[in-house]
Amino acid sequence: MVATLFIDGTWRAASDGAAHEVRSPHDQSLVATVSQATQADVLDAIGAARASFDSGIFTSWSFKARSELVSKIADLLERDTDVIARKESDDTGKRFIEAQYDVADVVSTFRHFAALGAKEHGRSVDVGIAHVSSRIVHEPLGVASLIGPWNYPLLQIAWKVAPALVAGCSFIVKPSELTPQSAIALMKIIEEAGTPKGVANLILGPGSVVGTSLISDPRVDLVSFTGGLTTGQTIIRAAAETVKKLALELGGKNPHIIFADADIDAAIDNAVTAAFLHSGQVCSAGTRLIVERSIHDRVVNEIVRRAAKISLGGPDDEMAETGPLISQAHLNNVSAYVQRGIAEGATLLVGGKRSDKPEHAKGWYYLPTVLDNCQGKMYCVQEESFGPVMTVEVFDSEAEAIAIGNDTVFGLSGGVWSGDAAKAARVASALRHGTIWVNDFGPYRPAAEWGGYKQSGIGRELGEHGLGEYLEIKHIWTNNAPSRSGWFKDQ
């Protein structure tokens, strides 16, 4: 019987013995068999997290001590980089070298929060009364449900787990059922590092089975979720009854604006990467290209030429530049998305179909795709495909570029390319998105906050605010010379 659930400090099988097979998106080979939790298992995990938090076993640790724990976890993750990267590569189908980069980013995330936790927390407030002490203190929020996506499984979980540990929260991790192996590896490291029993718990299984209690149970104080808008809206509704704190990153349809005065060669190269890295399975992917009309042909023709030459392949294909989509269902969704765009009037310039190479026959490979002549209200412009599909729109003025870039319900990220620094700054300021890259696209650092405007989510991860999501703020007023208030007459 498979025992890959971690509840109250113990590795165990699902209460009904159920298990789930994880298969590679590259060739459908079996890469792991893991436990599939029941509702009873979820309730046990919540109970363990609640009990550990209420006991004070971890909240009694100082910020410094918890930061040292997180630093030790970073060291262990670095030690096991290749082992964890292999698991992530197997689950996602991404190239092994990309998975190694991802684990390095995970290590950096833990080191960032370890350093942040070691800083002074809280402050004194001068209330103008000599005998009164007024302090603002930061305390652990409570029990958190941490729900991750399948595209960057360990990285997105790390953005939640590291600050939760530094803050002193207890938590339940729920990775995607498609990509569970790196979360299992992380939990083993958390255990090895000496985290108290019951603080960290791991539940595996589809959201339809295990998600409801993680969101609605009154013993859970915070839900942190990264994933799609529809699921995010469901979480908001389910969490409303108990007025939980929410931290949600719900994706985006990210504008990538290129002005005629930009470094065109650099802009084109970055546009290709922004749209087709990890086959577009990136929440911040720059798949909405918005290009000044006068350079449209030059930019788009070169992007099409390069897209057609992108080499697809599996985790260990040294010639591959990107990999497969995560599943057959997702491939079907991307294909339908492209066909709908064409039906609405977009012009297919390259791709638009599944790879027909024999070596890709068993995997979920979809060709890099460019749709031209797109208009703002098209489905393919307003909705994200989460696949390797770039849409192209044109503009004639700075104001029009801004209007197009903001014409979306999302607001996660965007890019601006221009040789005019003042213009680039104006556009960056005007775009309603959480991260804007100027003459670049895609880099991030753990010290900088990450999150979106509008329907791209609630709250922030990383930076200083990423820790703040897991803390309660308390004001303590102490009168060191107590006296009668004298407000009402003493009759």
Side-chain angles (χ1 to χ4, degrees):
M1 193 175 293
V2 183
T4 54
L5 306 181
F6 190 64
I7 300 174
D8 202 18
T10 302
W11 290 97
R12 64 189 234 189
S15 56
D16 64 356
H20 167 70
E21 292 185 343
V22 181
R23 294 189 174 273
S24 168
H26 164 58
D27 60 7
Q28 295 309 292
S29 61
L30 180 66
V31 296
T33 301
V34 301
S35 308
Q36 181 160 301
T38 65
Q39 187 64 214
D41 297 324
V42 177
L43 295 177
D44 283 352
I46 295 172
R50 187 75 254 171
S52 73
F53 185 82
D54 292 344
S55 74
I57 192 172
F58 195 46
T59 59
S60 61
W61 288 28
S62 66
F63 270 104
K64 182 176 182 293
R66 294 195 297 260
S67 295
E68 289 172 351
L69 172 70
V70 170
S71 183
K72 184 176 181 180
I73 291 170
D75 291 341
L76 296 174
L77 284 163
E78 193 166 42
R79 178 198 69 187
D80 294 348
T81 290
D82 286 353
V83 173
I84 298 171
R86 174 55 60 189
K87 295 178 184 297
E88 188 121 313
S89 182
D90 285 345
D91 283 1
T92 62
K94 69 172 61 175
R95 296 181 303 154
F96 179 63
I97 191 172
E98 286 188 47
Q100 288 176 308
Y101 293 149
D102 292 346
V103 178
D105 284 347
V106 169
V107 172
S108 294
T109 296
F110 274 85
R111 296 208 191 286
H112 160 70
F113 281 108
L116 187 61
K119 295 181 179 180
E120 184 68 28
H121 295 273
R123 72 183 194 275
S124 295
V125 178
D126 184 357
V127 297
I129 305 173
H131 58 270
V132 169
S133 166
S134 178
R135 295 184 298 119
I136 304 299
V137 299
H138 296 128
E139 298 179 344
L141 178 69
V143 172
S145 292
L146 310 179
I147 305 172
W150 48 257
N151 60 331
Y152 289 92
L154 187 58
L155 183 61
Q156 296 291 339
I157 287 294
W159 288 11
K160 307 174 192 304
V161 167
L165 285 169
V166 169
C169 293
S170 294
F171 55 85
I172 308 98
V173 169
K174 206 297 279 186
S176 168
E177 68 274 18
L178 301 175
T179 54
Q181 289 197 83
S182 57
I184 296 170
L186 173 62
M187 201 61 58
K188 289 180 177 178
I189 284 175
I190 289 173
E191 179 186 22
E192 180 183 349
T195 306
K197 176 183 175 182
V199 169
N201 301 273
L202 176 68
I203 286 293
L204 304 177
S208 59
V209 175
V210 304
T212 301
S213 292
L214 289 174
I215 299 164
S216 61
D217 194 296
R219 295 172 293 175
V220 173
D221 302 296
L222 164 71
V223 178
S224 179
F225 168 78
T226 300
L229 174 59
T230 300
T231 303
Q233 291 168 330
T234 299
I235 289 173
I236 292 170
R237 287 190 289 268
E241 185 67 27
T242 51
V243 197
K244 297 187 192 307
K245 185 173 182 180
L246 297 175
L248 308 175
E249 195 225 284
L250 307 178
K253 184 65 177 178
N254 311 295
H256 198 178
I257 300 170
I258 303 178
F259 285 91
D261 59 6
D263 180 331
I264 301 300
D265 180 64
I268 289 171
D269 182 72
N270 279 269
V272 172
T273 303
F276 302 127
L277 178 71
H278 194 16
S279 289
Q281 298 171 123
V282 183
C283 57
S284 57
T287 53
R288 187 179 182 185
L289 188 69
I290 302 168
V291 60
E292 194 160 356
R293 189 182 303 274
S294 63
I295 57 169
H296 168 274
D297 290 355
R298 176 183 173 187
V299 170
V300 174
N301 289 345
E302 180 61 13
I303 288 174
V304 167
R305 184 190 72 81
R306 291 191 55 178
K309 296 167 69 70
I310 291 174
S311 177
L312 278 62
D316 298 311
D317 184 346
E318 294 184 357
M319 301 303 294
E321 296 172 295
T322 192
L325 299 180
I326 190 65
S327 66
Q328 174 73 68
H330 188 45
L331 186 146
N332 292 344
N333 289 338
V334 172
S335 180
Y337 175 97
V338 171
Q339 293 306 311
R340 180 168 177 174
I342 294 170
E344 288 182 320
T347 302
L348 176 65
L349 299 183
V350 67
K353 63 179 181 179
R354 184 174 179 175
S355 172
D356 57 8
K357 290 186 176 181
E359 61 267 33
H360 299 156
K362 294 182 179 180
W364 315 129
Y365 288 90
Y366 196 85
L367 297 175
T369 299
V370 177
L371 296 175
D372 198 9
N373 298 318
C374 294
Q375 304 298 321
K377 298 307 177 186
M378 288 180 175
Y379 181 85
C380 64
V381 170
Q382 291 297 323
E383 300 295 329
E384 63 176 343
S385 69
F386 222 64
V389 184
M390 176 189 287
T391 62
V392 182
E393 299 164 85
V394 296
F395 67 89
D396 294 298
S397 68
E398 179 181 326
E400 186 180 9
I402 293 168
I404 294 173
N406 284 333
D407 182 19
T408 169
V409 299
F410 296 108
L412 184 60
S413 68
V416 180
W417 287 82
S418 174
D420 182 335
K423 177 168 67 177
R426 288 193 303 271
V427 176
S429 179
L431 289 173
R432 300 281 295 165
H433 300 267
T435 293
I436 300 295
W437 294 286
V438 176
N439 295 330
D440 209 336
F441 202 101
Y444 81 96
R445 292 293 183 272
E449 277 74 4
W450 180 264
Y453 289 25
K454 299 183 282 187
Q455 293 185 39
S456 280
I458 299 170
R460 290 294 183 271
E461 295 187 293
L462 302 178
E464 294 187 4
H465 286 76
L467 176 58
E469 297 288 355
Y470 296 86
L471 295 168
E472 289 282 19
I473 300 173
K474 179 182 288 183
H475 177 208
I476 300 177
W477 173 293
T478 303
N479 187 338
N480 295 300
S483 63
R484 295 167 60 96
S485 71
W487 188 266
F488 293 104
K489 297 178 188 177
D490 186 3
Q491 298 182 0

